[in-house]
Amino acid sequence: MSWPGLVLPVGHRLGPLHGLDGSGPVPGVVRRGDAAELLDPAEAAVWDLARPRPDDPLPGDAALLEQRVARARLEPEHVDRLLARDLLVRVRPEDPAVVPVSARVRARALGSCAGSRADALVFGVPGGAGLTVSAADAEVWLAAVYAADLWSAAAVLRAFQDPDRTTVATAAERAGPLARLWSVVPRFLAAGCGHLDVGEPAAR
């Protein structure tokens, strides 16, 4: 089985929820939008394996997740179940399907800009190591966080390139910024600067 492209977790992982029926804590809980999604132990393990790590050569690499799932002796269908529940998102930035996916996916910040030095900015949460990025990458992340979704963020980035433009960027004009979003955002996720969420598709 081959999983090209990116697979990234959706939602923010919470600690175990303790039920009132005496049955003990639910091991896996992810906040997605306004809902708390309950995961069985295998789903929780796969969701955690999908979280990009700072030392990953390509944060969010689907092939790397495939290897981790195999090493953990988990079944690939757990990935499919999480994809079907919108708790994982799968995307190939060069595929036309990136447009409808991007129109549903949004980035949520968990930290803020913690400082700057020379031509770089540092993002992160209090007590964390922080992620040092260029001003250009910071611009991409902030567009992702403040726009309604990544498709809209691509239009924002395109507008930054041509501030005198008076019309919304076309799909073709958003292609480059969209690919850049999908290359930069996973690095911020890997550093713990935020998470992905999903919503209703935006108008295209």
Side-chain angles (χ1 to χ4, degrees):
M1 182 176 189
S2 178
W3 300 345
L6 302 173
V7 175
L8 293 162
V10 173
H12 181 52
R13 189 80 146 89
L14 304 178
L17 291 184
H18 294 264
L20 300 178
D21 57 0
S23 60
V26 177
V29 185
V30 171
R31 187 187 73 225
R32 189 197 65 210
D34 296 331
E37 299 286 343
L38 307 184
L39 283 62
D40 66 31
E43 290 173 333
V46 168
W47 194 95
D48 287 334
L49 289 174
R51 296 170 79 166
R53 305 171 188 176
D55 58 347
D56 287 344
L58 175 63
D61 182 24
L64 187 56
L65 174 60
E66 182 180 16
Q67 295 168 15
R68 288 173 176 161
V69 167
R71 281 199 300 267
R73 299 185 179 181
L74 295 163
E75 296 299 325
E77 54 258 32
H78 295 302
V79 174
D80 295 330
R81 281 162 49 186
L82 291 173
L83 287 166
R85 295 178 61 189
D86 276 338
L87 291 171
L88 292 179
V89 62
R90 181 176 179 177
V91 64
R92 297 179 66 181
E94 71 281 3
D95 192 305
V98 71
V99 172
V101 172
S102 301
R104 296 187 63 236
V105 174
R106 58 194 62 179
R108 298 292 190 219
L110 293 176
S112 61
C113 184
S116 63
R117 57 184 185 220
D119 294 327
L121 292 92
V122 181
F123 283 78
V125 295
L131 174 67
T132 302
V133 298
S134 67
D137 284 353
E139 183 177 80
V140 171
W141 173 246
L142 292 174
V145 168
Y146 287 110
D149 49 63
L150 296 189
W151 178 245
S152 301
V156 171
L157 291 174
R158 184 63 182 83
F160 287 164
Q161 297 170 3
D162 186 5
D164 295 328
R165 185 188 180 99
T166 58
T167 58
V168 177
T170 65
E173 291 170 332
R174 297 190 206 196
L178 198 56
R180 183 146 173 72
L181 280 157
W182 283 109
S183 68
V184 171
V185 166
R187 290 175 47 216
F188 281 81
L189 303 181
C193 297
H195 65 275
L196 297 182
D197 209 343
V198 295
E200 292 302 315
R204 299 192 301 277

